[in-house]
Amino acid sequence: MSDIIRMTAAELAEKLSSREISAVEATRAHLDRIAAVDGDVHAFLHVSDHAIQQAERIDERRAAGEQLGELAGVPLAVKDVLVTTDMPSTSGSKILEGYMSPYDATVVKRAREAGLVPLGKTNMDEFAMGSSTEHSAYGPTKNPWDLTRIPGGSGGGSAAAVAAFEAPLALGSDTGGSIRQPAHVTGTVGMKPTYGGVSRYGAIALASSLDQVGPVTRTVLDAGLLHDVIGGHDPRDSTSLRDEWPSMAAAAREGATGQVLRGLKVGLVREFQGDGFQAGVKSRFDEAVQQLEAQGAEVIEISAPNFEYAVSAYYLILPAEASSNLAKFDSVRFGMRVQPEGGGTVEQVMSATREAGFGPEVKRRIILGTYALSAGYYDAYYGSAQKVRTLIQRDFNAAFEQVDVIATPSAPTTAFKLGEKLGDPLAMYLNDLTTIPANLAGVPGISVPIGLAPEDGLPVGIQFMAPAREDARLYRVGAALETLLDDARGHTLISEAPALGGK
Amino acid sequence: MSEITPELVAHLANLARIDLGDDEIQSLTTELGQIVDSIQKVQEVATDDVPATSHPIPLTNVFRDDVVGETLTIEQALQNAPEHADNRFKVSAILGEEQ
């Protein structure tokens, strides 16, 4: 049944639960799809060789009458930043080639317990540093809408896997937009939860005060279903919040009725309305906002004067934290070891290993972070960036006194060509202009597809942000807009994606 | 203009334990110069009266009872080590001849 792969996770889950489709059939359909198209897309770094056996076990448990989770038997793609006991975890880096973790990341463990079937590990920029997946040590992923273009980053593999119907659900991580920007450029849904809402245990750390794990899917409801599986307190992550969370899937289902839009106060950021946004991104965004207004939402312009400093603050805080986190790749306990010619001390071995094992962007950011933290510069750079963080939080606080959600384009442009920005790190960094503020403040953000830019026919997403802990609000609003747009269009946006030839 | 020089990049690379080649030091000097010029605008608004934020959601220290939990076995801890012997990680000489 080839249309298995076209189903949403929610639809597939229903047919699994009614035993119309078996977990083995669902898994095989997706493995076949991966075999057919991933040579072109390169979303996966590793495809599981035992997913079918895991699916068989789900079918057996269901046949035995066991009560299984709502998503039991649904295949899942896992970003390679998340460690897994049964598949290698490299975080897109040569330094971790072949690394087999002795434990599962908490989100992976929870997904397994809920009966999801991990299909494989998805490609990413090395250690999640990038916005195009071109910094992967294993070659770039291609955008399923146009194979000559980037799928976003760092989680381009997860977004492309979902957009290319290689998996209905994927896990991502978002430090400055790595879930939301790939969603934007691939016409898919990506959610960065409130900082601390989802466990980071077993996520190979990039910048610990910014990293957050979240769902990558084709619909808002599917994201909510996966969020419900992976979210909640984890004693193994000391930044994990102890909150009791409402069901995000229930919020999405409630949102689809559209009631939430009546009287909803939507904030538009004045500072994000000038130049720097592609015309088609801007026009689709404006139309989506008009749709919200037509359903009774109230649009209010808000000012966030410090957002213009967010990218700068981010590129001080992230490298500083990354340079510290990546110090663990010391050639002693795990990962690559390179012997300098004629041998050497442990420090010389370490330096030779890190020179050989890290790619150019990782080196760039480690050196930048080392600079920002070094004596004499700390106050001017890292210290100042932390103050900007306070100012951005204050901008959010002031805005959320006036509005329920903030809406922005999810990124300034549609998918650019592979190679286009690779030689210009600063241009690459500006991709995350609208997504970075949420990470600095710890608030949740979701990207929902809203249409294609007229000039290039490529997907555009809208980002909604809400106060910390109000993740459910984003599912309500996101599902409301998604339903509105799908109804107006008569079909989903992703169904317009070009067919992939494959074999 | 920023103060990024090839000597500074070489010094930072030494601190970060990355044995950069000369061509890498040259290209990083240019790139880091541009990046630092661009990001130092944070100083415009980071005035003395603004407190620093290190963590997005305020949390107090998280403690647990001081009891043995689930831990890795020695075999698991060593399974990814490039070299090990006698249940320990094995490394080359700590001190060089000049030390």
Side-chain angles (χ1 to χ4, degrees), chain B:
Chain B
M1 274 303 289
S2 75
E3 63 246 300
I4 307 288
T5 60
E7 293 71 32
L8 178 61
V9 171
H11 170 65
L12 294 168
N14 182 45
L15 289 177
R17 304 285 183 267
I18 305 177
D19 190 11
L20 292 181
D22 288 341
D23 50 334
E24 285 179 303
I25 290 177
Q26 284 306 329
S27 57
L28 274 172
T29 302
T30 311
E31 288 160 6
L32 287 185
Q34 290 164 353
I35 294 168
V36 169
D37 281 346
S38 157
I39 60 185
Q40 61 189 356
K41 71 191 261 191
V42 291
Q43 294 162 10
E44 292 170 16
V45 286
T47 48
D48 287 345
D49 56 324
V50 181
T53 294
S54 63
H55 193 271
I57 310 280
L59 286 174
T60 45
N61 279 341
V62 177
F63 296 104
R64 65 168 174 83
D65 292 335
D66 187 17
V67 293
V68 178
E70 241 182 89
T71 58
L72 298 182
T73 62
I74 290 171
E75 291 72 29
Q76 285 175 321
L78 291 173
Q79 76 184 35
N80 287 290
E83 214 180 338
H84 61 90
D86 303 330
N87 286 346
R88 298 182 192 110
F89 297 109
K90 189 173 174 187
V91 297
S92 55
I94 302 287
L95 298 178
E97 280 168 15
E98 73 279 15
Q99 287 158 306

Side-chain angles (χ1 to χ4, degrees), chain A residues 70 191-194 196-198 212 214-215 219-232 241 243-256 444 446 466-480 482:
Chain A
E70 192 170 349
M191 168 78 179
K192 183 203 88 75
T194 295
V198 175
Q212 192 53 204
T219 71
V220 176
L221 172 59
D222 285 358
L225 287 164
L226 184 54
H227 194 148
D228 285 345
V229 168
I230 60 173
L241 299 174
D243 299 44
E244 285 296 320
W245 300 89
S247 163
M248 306 300 165
R253 287 188 170 112
E254 185 199 320
I446 193 169
R469 299 183 157 89
E470 294 296 335
D471 302 50
R473 190 182 297 172
L474 295 182
Y475 283 102
R476 275 193 291 273
V477 174
E482 174 188 63

Side-chain angles (χ1 to χ4, degrees), chain A residues 291-423:
Chain A
Q291 293 264 19
L292 297 174
E293 265 186 306
Q295 299 301 311
E298 186 186 345
V299 173
I300 298 168
E301 190 180 80
I302 54 147
S303 177
N306 296 293
F307 278 18
E308 72 163 289
Y309 300 96
V311 173
S312 298
Y314 177 82
Y315 279 100
L316 287 162
I317 291 168
L318 178 141
E321 295 187 6
S323 70
S324 164
N325 274 327
L326 268 54
K328 65 173 157 279
F329 298 102
D330 57 5
S331 76
V332 173
R333 293 160 296 162
F334 38 69
M336 179 192 274
R337 175 180 289 184
V338 173
Q339 294 287 351
E341 230 171 286
T345 64
V346 67
E347 281 195 358
Q348 287 162 338
V349 173
M350 198 183 295
S351 299
T353 300
R354 290 160 66 82
E355 163 63 13
F358 289 144
E361 180 65 14
V362 173
K363 290 177 187 170
R364 202 177 286 139
R365 294 202 198 180
I366 289 177
I367 301 291
L368 180 59
T370 306
Y371 176 63
L373 289 176
S374 56
Y377 303 108
Y378 182 95
D379 288 340
Y381 292 122
Y382 190 62
S384 295
Q386 289 191 312
K387 290 183 173 189
V388 169
R389 218 168 162 170
T390 305
L391 296 171
I392 286 167
Q393 287 193 341
R394 287 179 185 168
D395 282 357
F396 271 114
N397 291 343
F400 286 130
E401 275 172 24
Q402 294 175 267
V403 299
D404 302 310
V405 292
I406 295 173
T408 74
S410 302
T413 70
T414 56
F416 45 91
K417 293 267 189 195
L418 288 157
E420 190 181 320
K421 297 186 181 177
L422 202 50

Side-chain angles (χ1 to χ4, degrees), chain A residues 77 79 81-82 155 158 170-174 178-179 212-216:
Chain A
K79 189 177 180 183
V81 73
L82 298 164
S158 280
L171 290 170
S173 69
D174 189 312
S178 289
I179 287 176
Q212 192 53 204
V213 177
V216 175

